Amino acid sequence: MIAQRFALGLMTLFAASLLIFGGTEILPGDLASAILQNNATPESLAAMRKELGLDRPAATRYAEWLSGAAHGDFGHSLANKREVANEIAPRLKNTIFLALYAAVIAVPLAVGLGLLAAINQGGVFDRVVNVVTLMTISVPEYFLAYLLIKYLSVQFGFFPSLANVTPNTPILDRMTLTFLPMVTLVLVITAHMMRMTRASVLSVMASPYIEMALLKGLPKWRIVVRHAFPNALAPIISVVALNLAYLIVGVVIVEAVFVYPGLGQLMVDAVSKHDVPVVQACGLIFAAAFILLNMGADILAIMTNPRLRHAR
Amino acid sequence: MTGSPAEAQETLLTVKDLRIEVRTDRGPGPVLVDDVSFTLRRGEVLGLIGESGAGKSTIGLSTLGYSRSGCVVSGGSMMMGGQDIRTMTGAQRRGLRGRGVAYIAQSAAASFNPSITIMDQVCEVAIRQGLMNKAEAEAAARALFRELELPNPDTFGSRYPHQVSGGQLQRAMAAMAMAARPDLLVFDEPTTALDVTTQVDVLASFRKLIREHRTAALYITHDLAVVAQIADRIMVLRRGKMVELGTARQILNEPREDYTKRLVAERAFGQTSTPAGRDAEKPLLSVNRVWASYSKFANVISDVSVELRRGDTVAVVGESGSGKSTLARVIVGLLPRSEGEISFGGQVLSPRLAGRSKDQLRRVQMIYQIPDVALNPRQTLLDVIGRPMKFYFNRSNEEVRARVLDLLRQIDLPESFITRYPSELSGGQKQRVSIARALAAEPDIIICDEITSALDQLVAEEILRLLKRLQDDLGIAYLFITHDLGTVKRIANKVVVMLKGRVVAAGETAEVFTPPHHPYTELLLSSVPEMRGEWLDEVLVRRGAIAAAAKASVATA
Amino acid sequence: MTVEALTPDAIAPRRRRSIRLFGHKPNLTAWIGLIIIALNIAVAVLAPLIAPYPQADIVGDAWADPDRLHWLGLDNLGRDILSRLIYGARLSIGLSSLITGLAFVIGIVCGFTAATLGGWVDAVLSRIVDLLLSMPVLIFAFMILSVLGTDIPVLIGTIALLNATLVFRLARAVAMTIASLEYVEAAKVRGEGTWWVISREILPNAIPPLAAEFGLRFCFTFLLIAALSFLGLGIQPPLADWGSMVKDYRDMINLDSAAPLYPAAAIAILTIGVNFVVDWMLSIHSRGHGEPA
């Protein structure tokens, strides 16, 4: 069962790599014309194609690219001819740092608040939280980010509005510099995660075996901890994984707002410069993170399901 | 049936003028229970009986100091051990539940926590209430498993709920309820979801448990014959009000109120003589040695043959999983048969829907079990009933309208219903509309798939009468699929008994149902509760032999 | 007459008429949402009538502060921010509606087809959708835009396709559920054609769940276009939607100006409004109506 899911994850990753390669290489208007844009003459196009190796069959190039990628070799950037891998490495670290920073704070916060809201279902806390989180998930990340900048940074100067870290920035400064981007991400994913946690706990709490536990005279804490939580665990895990996957998208925009030198920024730049090798590499990394998270969630859900753990 | 006279005197629970209503945001809603009073002595079993909406579960839950969300106990008192359950504090209520009063729900599969072993769930109350330590509680649980005749009582508890069968889980729930030795057990339709043959055993072990421990019980059910086996006294409820309260014998034999009389009469009204189909006539529908399956590996029905003549009512009976509904799907062509032949009016029917002519489709109509999903909620009754006329006969709008009004009259619904949507009808009314839709096609055969099992007893009775009348007027043949042998005896002139996808007995109803019968038929027949208090005792005496014979016959089938 | 037909409460009361949406009365937040949506649509449609100035006219100094004539101040070129917001509504809302509509047509047609036909058609369509959804939508959009450039037709096609995959999944699931109900089976047994079954039996019952999805997809599209524009990969100058206005005004935030917050707030308010309505619609679906027996 778990092995099956693992194999499916690998297959999906493979399919995604095909899609990324195919999407950028086979679509009409190939790489060469994309680079040359309006300056393309038939001669320069042909020369460029040769230089890029586009005259060889796509399947060969895909195989080379994939085996290179597996070894951490993503080829050379078209914009500055540097090795893509070297370009990516420090930025990937930055992005992972920011994402982890946000996740470490958001996950316990969201699960805790979600449980609280579920226990007080229909109460004042629950209703207020429902409206507030609904608003938070509706608004774009940059709106929250600029609000934070305007009030916490510009007006009162609590935190810096630019997250211009360098590889040598010490960890504490790094945490201060990335404080506002972190808060923005936390706000967005906490709201999502909290709502979904609340919903999954509520659906468990509505099941007849919880009513039965109540009719057995068990105290509320025991019903929640012993009877509801183990059954809500699987849905909560998948909620968390789903939202961490969502972080990937959030990160791109938040990095742009705070001019944070992460992978998202790099990818956005590469897209506007049509720097395909960089776009491919970033896309593959984002897709891999997304697929791994989803796979991890499914595997954990399988492991926590009593029906699957104890077969008939 | 009660214990010693001294014990029987001691009053356990006194419910007086109980009133429970729904409270919505906009103030009080409908009253669910109104002015209900009864007393319960130690060791006594009171049966609460009524149709859906009678308020019987609501009363049962209220004795645990519990009402489902939105409901409030708004009047009366429930005295138990010198205290009013209504005014208990949260802590007192928790002490009451499990220890004073315990609850046994209809669906054990849903009421057991899927991620905790049965043993842990059974022992939980006794340990939590501080009555026993873990070892004592587990020993007591094993004793209860043994008493309830569960298989391998010593290891049974280590299993998870999904690893045991429905009947076993239902008994495990009784063990869970008994774990803290409560004074009162509330049984809420505990055998309704089980097959008849399982029901007998579960019912017998419940009765044994109650008697041996001298526990008082409220036994909630819609089935008078079931309650007759277990209750000392019976209270009949209707729409939240008490209709009649008396000893089981008095309610069953000399009911005073009209409503009770109707409930009792339903079972008693015996076999009406159905005009048998003239055997000399050629069969209208003939299913000849048909096999079918959903996957390659397991046949759902194997080697089934059925014949239907004009005016016939052929009942196909069997327990869940017997393949009886699959047979219906194969006949109408929803599931193509893999072998065998189905012919209609002498012509062989194509296995698939797409291969049948419009006229062939028209002449075999179907009515479904759950009326709520059988009618498109976005169509008015005019559209629902009128569509077959347009589709098969291409009638004009005026003709359709006139004919729909005609059919509404035939099924005893007011003409004004023509503009209504299904959601505005009651369950019985919806089922009537389903019948009208089938009639609109002017069919020769109607296949009725468990059409009364989702309906209340008296409503179901009306539907059966209606079908009978339509048959007398129009000469339609019915293929009546059901698990309820009581119904079969009354309406069918021929019976086909199915077990695990095969026909084990077939023939004239009287013939199949008179001895000597096939062992499985006998097992089924003997499992149908009768409205005599002695029935369960009698059947238990005979049962060992019957079950053994049935098992042997299943093995050879 | 029979016993059952005589009993008074066996006949359910007819519904009373009042303001209803999908047969239910909107709650407070839903009303707020509906009003926000209506105002936004009105502004978009009536832009030339409402806007104080034409959107491209330079009416004063760059970054002039708000005053009585220019309520939100002027932008980097000296254009009236309020007027640009009002015109921006046209592009933002119009484009999103168009894309969502397109995605729905594609998604529902494919989803219903897959659900009713089943077999290899279903398998092929489902696998394609799985493939397209194997990575985050924004990242996928980046891949396509990096090759095809950021023309509006490319934008429309890409986002509509990505949205359609999500609509497809829901439409297929909804249609599968409804198709397994017995009234659909009854129509099939009657011999009705596929077209009748889809259009008369399935579609009318699929509309309520799909309506909520339309709101969600609209928000998704609207936010995605705005995000792309904000990143400089969406709507290109001289056209301006709300997302690109945020980008154009972003540096002003460090000068303690609220300029980038106006378009960002406009985006936020509309999505909040739509989500309020969607949330209410979803709550009516999930609300159990089982009465205790």
Side-chain angles (χ1 to χ4, degrees):
Chain A
M1 194 84 192
I2 292 175
Q4 219 176 351
R5 183 62 187 85
F6 192 74
L8 181 68
L10 283 183
M11 263 178 56
T12 317
L13 190 56
F14 178 72
S17 76
L18 250 176
L19 196 64
I20 288 169
F21 189 83
T24 46
E25 300 250 347
I26 300 165
L27 277 177
D30 71 6
L31 201 50
S33 49
I35 297 166
L36 294 171
Q37 294 280 301
N38 300 331
N39 317 324
T41 62
E43 298 82 55
S44 64
L45 261 179
M48 181 62 84
R49 285 215 175 95
K50 200 165 176 72
E51 188 193 325
L52 295 169
L54 289 182
D55 45 350
R56 292 177 304 136
T60 326
R61 285 182 287 122
Y62 170 69
E64 283 174 16
W65 175 73
L66 193 65
S67 70
H71 296 100
D73 173 16
F74 291 99
H76 294 264
S77 158
L78 297 179
N80 53 19
K81 307 288 172 213
R82 294 217 305 239
E83 270 207 35
V84 175
N86 292 342
E87 221 28 20
I88 283 177
R91 288 167 167 269
L92 179 59
K93 268 187 219 151
N94 284 342
T95 294
I96 290 176
F97 173 79
L98 180 58
L100 279 182
Y101 191 14
V104 163
I105 292 173
V107 171
L109 189 70
V111 173
L113 286 175
L115 284 175
L116 266 182
I119 291 171
N120 297 314
Q121 189 204 358
V124 178
F125 176 75
D126 184 35
R127 284 185 204 195
V128 169
V129 155
N130 182 40
V131 174
V132 171
T133 52
L134 187 56
M135 285 163 71
T136 321
I137 59 170
S138 315
V139 307
E141 295 86 350
Y142 42 86
F143 177 66
L144 290 172
Y146 284 124
L147 269 183
L148 290 171
I149 292 179
K150 182 159 167 56
Y151 292 103
L152 292 183
S153 172
V154 176
Q155 285 200 344
F156 298 105
F158 292 149
F159 299 98
S161 66
L162 288 182
N164 45 352
V165 297
T166 68
N168 307 320
T169 317
I171 182 86
L172 274 180
D173 292 353
R174 203 176 258 265
M175 285 174 79
T176 326
L177 281 171
T178 53
F179 187 79
L180 288 186
M182 181 275 288
V183 172
T184 311
L185 285 173
V186 166
L187 280 176
V188 176
I189 65 165
T190 302
H192 262 288
M193 233 187 296
M194 218 213 87
R195 286 175 75 86
M196 291 160 87
T197 304
R198 173 182 175 275
S200 50
V201 172
L202 280 186
S203 83
V204 171
M205 290 296 281
S207 49
Y209 57 80
I210 296 296
E211 185 176 66
M212 184 47 110
L214 206 62
L215 292 176
K216 280 160 80 177
L218 301 177
K220 186 138 196 179
W221 65 266
R222 190 175 164 85
I223 294 176
V224 171
V225 172
R226 180 90 173 100
H227 287 266
F229 192 71
N231 292 297
L233 201 58
I236 290 177
I237 288 173
S238 69
V239 165
V240 169
L242 208 75
N243 282 281
L244 293 184
Y246 178 81
L247 255 183
I248 296 169
V249 179
V251 146
V252 175
I253 288 160
V254 169
E255 283 178 3
V257 173
F258 293 94
V259 201
Y260 181 71
L263 203 57
Q265 275 277 61
L266 181 68
M267 188 169 186
V268 172
D269 285 347
V271 171
S272 50
K273 287 179 196 149
H274 303 283
D275 192 347
V276 173
V278 178
V279 174
Q280 283 173 340
C282 296
L284 192 61
I285 292 172
F286 278 127
F290 185 75
I291 291 165
L292 288 178
L293 278 167
N294 279 320
M295 184 177 80
D298 284 357
I299 289 178
L300 279 171
I302 292 170
M303 282 163 61
T304 49
N305 184 339
R307 277 169 198 276
L308 300 176
R309 254 188 313 149
H310 311 278
R312 245 170 202 282
Chain B
M1 271 188 209
T2 48
S4 68
E7 201 178 26
Q9 294 306 315
E10 197 189 332
T11 303
L12 178 69
L13 173 73
T14 309
V15 172
K16 212 161 177 285
D17 305 331
L18 185 66
R19 183 182 170 89
I20 301 174
E21 52 191 78
V22 177
R23 286 275 160 86
T24 64
D25 296 342
R26 280 170 238 95
V31 177
L32 298 177
V33 175
D34 192 11
D35 204 16
V36 168
S37 307
F38 61 89
T39 59
L40 199 58
R41 292 185 295 272
R42 277 193 186 279
E44 185 187 32
V45 180
L46 174 66
L48 295 184
I49 187 143
E51 302 179 318
S52 59
K56 45 194 197 305
S57 291
T58 314
I59 295 173
L61 286 170
S62 71
T63 61
L64 288 120
Y66 180 80
S67 38
R68 294 221 163 98
S69 74
C71 308
V72 184
V73 178
S74 57
S77 64
M78 292 175 284
M79 301 299 292
M80 191 169 169
Q83 252 202 318
D84 188 353
I85 295 171
R86 223 187 123 192
T87 58
M88 280 185 174
T89 63
Q92 284 173 325
R93 232 174 245 166
R94 281 199 294 279
L96 170 80
R97 292 177 187 165
R99 196 172 171 177
V101 190
Y103 183 71
I104 292 157
Q106 175 172 355
S107 164
S111 298
F112 268 101
N113 191 323
S115 61
I116 305 179
T117 61
I118 292 173
M119 179 60 88
D120 285 354
Q121 297 191 59
V122 169
C123 297
E124 198 175 16
V125 178
I127 299 174
R128 281 289 123 200
Q129 301 264 12
L131 298 174
M132 297 179 205
N133 64 30
K134 195 165 193 300
E136 286 167 358
E138 287 188 357
R142 279 194 286 274
L144 280 170
F145 293 156
R146 197 163 290 123
E147 257 181 68
L148 286 159
E149 287 153 350
L150 284 164
N152 310 319
D154 291 325
T155 54
F156 182 79
S158 63
R159 301 210 237 165
Y160 283 84
H162 67 273
Q163 294 171 317
V164 307
S165 75
Q168 290 169 6
L169 209 53
Q170 207 69 39
R171 281 185 248 186
M173 187 153 58
M176 180 159 81
M178 274 309 285
R181 309 288 167 203
D183 300 316
L184 173 62
L185 285 173
V186 177
F187 290 91
D188 194 352
E189 302 262 13
T191 62
T192 307
L194 304 174
D195 273 328
V196 270
T197 51
T198 321
Q199 171 172 279
V200 179
D201 298 327
V202 173
L203 200 58
S205 40
F206 284 170
R207 194 176 66 169
K208 191 171 142 214
L209 192 74
I210 298 172
R211 288 196 180 160
E212 283 178 7
H213 294 272
R214 299 244 155 80
T215 314
L218 280 179
Y219 199 99
I220 296 161
T221 179
H222 67 280
D223 190 340
L224 254 176
V226 165
V227 87
Q229 310 311 318
I230 204 159
D232 303 311
R233 288 192 300 151
I234 293 176
M235 179 184 216
V236 181
L237 289 155
R238 190 180 194 201
R239 294 198 200 107
K241 293 197 192 230
M242 189 184 85
V243 175
E244 191 168 358
L245 174 66
T247 64
R249 197 170 291 275
Q250 180 252 308
I251 296 280
L252 295 172
N253 299 331
E254 305 135 30
R256 289 191 202 102
E257 300 295 322
D258 274 355
Y259 180 69
T260 317
K261 281 180 190 155
R262 291 218 310 273
L263 282 183
V264 174
E266 189 264 327
R267 290 280 177 147
F269 115 58
Q271 202 172 328
T272 54
S273 60
T274 324
R278 284 119 291 192
D279 273 0
E281 229 176 82
K282 271 201 177 155
L284 206 50
L285 174 80
S286 135
V287 175
N288 194 7
R289 313 203 67 165
V290 162
W291 301 62
S293 62
Y294 289 103
S295 71
K296 270 185 205 139
F297 307 105
N299 282 302
V300 190
I301 58 174
S302 320
D303 201 16
V304 170
S305 302
V306 178
E307 278 187 356
L308 206 61
R309 293 181 168 75
R310 257 186 81 77
D312 259 352
T313 301
V314 174
V316 180
V317 292
E319 297 183 276
S320 55
S322 62
K324 55 191 191 304
S325 289
T326 306
L327 178 61
R329 295 174 64 83
V330 172
I331 293 174
V332 297
L334 280 167
L335 179 71
R337 58 185 185 260
S338 53
E339 262 177 68
E341 203 178 83
I342 298 177
S343 50
F344 184 83
Q347 295 169 303
V348 175
L349 286 178
S350 155
R352 287 170 192 285
L353 263 179
R356 299 188 182 181
S357 72
K358 222 172 178 175
D359 195 53
Q360 287 172 337
L361 292 171
R362 176 184 70 78
R363 293 168 68 179
V364 182
Q365 291 291 313
M366 189 151 162
I367 307 174
Y368 297 87
Q369 175 175 6
I370 304 165
D372 300 286
V373 290
L375 305 174
N376 189 334
R378 303 262 156 192
Q379 294 176 356
T380 62
L381 297 201
L382 176 63
D383 297 328
V384 170
I385 304 173
R387 177 64 192 167
M389 304 170 194
K390 275 202 179 140
F391 182 74
Y392 292 125
F393 304 111
N394 227 344
R395 294 231 163 92
S396 73
N397 285 343
E398 295 80 59
E399 281 173 323
V400 166
R401 203 185 149 77
R403 180 94 180 95
V404 170
L405 288 174
D406 229 30
L407 283 171
L408 283 175
R409 268 194 300 275
Q410 262 183 313
I411 57 168
D412 300 323
L413 290 183
E415 290 184 357
S416 63
F417 273 34
I418 195 162
T419 55
R420 289 207 172 188
Y421 288 92
S423 61
E424 298 171 294
L425 308 182
S426 71
Q429 290 169 339
K430 283 181 206 165
Q431 205 56 299
R432 286 166 192 268
V433 173
S434 295
I435 294 172
R437 176 174 63 186
L439 291 178
E442 299 171 21
D444 297 326
I445 293 177
I446 298 181
I447 298 176
C448 305
D449 188 0
E450 297 269 14
I451 60 166
T452 56
S453 58
L455 303 175
D456 276 323
Q457 195 176 319
L458 294 178
V459 178
E461 198 59 22
E462 294 295 338
I463 295 285
L464 292 181
R465 271 186 229 269
L466 173 65
L467 285 177
K468 183 84 188 65
R469 200 184 74 212
L470 292 170
Q471 186 170 52
D472 293 344
D473 293 353
L474 307 168
I476 302 170
Y478 296 126
L479 187 70
F480 204 90
I481 290 161
T482 181
H483 67 276
D484 181 2
L485 283 118
T487 312
V488 174
K489 282 189 197 167
R490 289 206 311 281
I491 63 153
N493 61 318
K494 284 184 189 157
V495 183
V496 174
V497 182
M498 285 184 76
L499 172 68
K500 295 191 176 157
R502 287 176 181 274
V503 174
V504 294
E508 300 283 329
T509 309
E511 218 171 88
V512 172
F513 285 168
T514 36
H517 13 56
H518 183 275
Y520 179 70
T521 314
E522 176 149 15
L523 180 69
L524 266 186
L525 273 178
S526 70
S527 304
V528 179
E530 290 171 25
M531 249 184 245
R532 299 175 291 121
E534 311 78 40
W535 170 79
L536 187 60
D537 297 312
E538 291 170 14
V539 79
L540 287 174
V541 171
R542 287 185 293 143
R543 192 153 177 83
I546 301 173
K551 207 166 264 169
S553 78
V554 173
T556 55
Chain C
M1 286 282 263
T2 61
V3 178
E4 190 214 346
L6 274 174
T7 52
D9 60 353
I11 298 165
R14 300 227 53 173
R15 290 193 221 151
R16 255 177 277 121
R17 294 277 159 228
S18 59
I19 297 180
R20 281 168 186 281
L21 221 63
F22 305 109
H24 293 267
K25 271 160 81 177
N27 62 12
L28 177 68
T29 46
W31 270 120
I32 296 174
L34 286 171
I35 291 169
I36 290 174
I37 295 169
L39 280 178
N40 268 285
I41 293 174
V43 166
V45 172
L46 304 174
L49 299 176
I50 303 174
Y53 305 95
Q55 58 170 333
D57 278 17
I58 294 171
V59 293
D61 295 335
W63 300 124
D65 281 334
D67 56 38
R68 277 182 50 218
L69 289 174
H70 313 100
W71 292 353
L72 299 180
L74 303 183
D75 73 357
N76 51 342
L77 298 177
R79 296 169 296 192
D80 183 48
I81 291 183
L82 180 62
S83 303
R84 286 183 66 73
L85 269 183
I86 290 171
Y87 277 98
R90 295 196 131 182
L91 192 57
S92 287
I93 298 172
L95 204 56
S96 304
S97 307
L98 174 71
I99 292 175
T100 314
L102 206 60
F104 256 71
V105 172
I106 302 172
I108 289 182
V109 168
C110 293
F112 279 18
T113 313
T116 34
L117 292 184
W120 66 268
V121 179
D122 183 27
V124 168
L125 284 172
S126 297
R127 286 302 83 73
I128 291 175
V129 166
D130 286 348
L131 183 64
L132 291 177
L133 289 176
S134 69
M135 68 178 95
V137 170
L138 184 68
I139 304 298
F140 192 79
F142 281 171
M143 317 288 325
I144 296 181
L145 297 179
S146 73
V147 176
L148 295 185
T150 48
D151 298 335
I152 287 189
V154 173
L155 217 54
I156 293 176
T158 307
I159 302 176
L161 175 71
L162 289 173
N163 252 327
T165 59
L166 294 161
V167 176
F168 168 86
R169 277 198 177 167
L170 183 79
R172 177 174 173 276
V174 167
M176 290 276 225
T177 312
I178 297 174
S180 72
L181 294 178
E182 282 161 354
Y183 60 84
V184 179
E185 199 176 295
K188 283 186 193 160
V189 173
R190 198 187 305 143
E192 302 278 7
T194 311
W195 175 244
W196 169 280
V197 172
I198 292 183
S199 66
R200 295 302 189 86
E201 307 284 345
I202 296 180
L203 191 63
N205 293 290
I207 283 174
L210 289 174
E213 179 72 1
F214 190 87
L216 285 177
R217 289 297 110 221
F218 175 84
C219 279
F220 178 85
T221 309
F222 181 68
L223 286 174
L224 185 61
I225 294 178
L228 287 172
S229 296
F230 170 71
L231 296 170
L233 304 173
I235 308 288
Q236 301 296 329
L239 289 173
D241 69 334
W242 290 342
S244 44
M245 286 172 73
V246 179
K247 180 195 64 179
D248 291 343
Y249 304 163
R250 57 189 288 182
D251 293 331
M252 290 307 290
I253 196 85
N254 290 314
L255 303 173
D256 200 16
S257 153
L261 282 177
Y262 298 137
I267 296 168
I269 290 170
L270 179 58
T271 48
I272 289 174
V274 176
N275 268 318
F276 275 173
V277 178
V278 169
D279 192 53
W280 167 75
M281 289 202 278
L282 292 175
S283 76
I284 16 184
H285 288 304
S286 63
R287 195 181 301 157
H289 32 251
E291 283 146 293

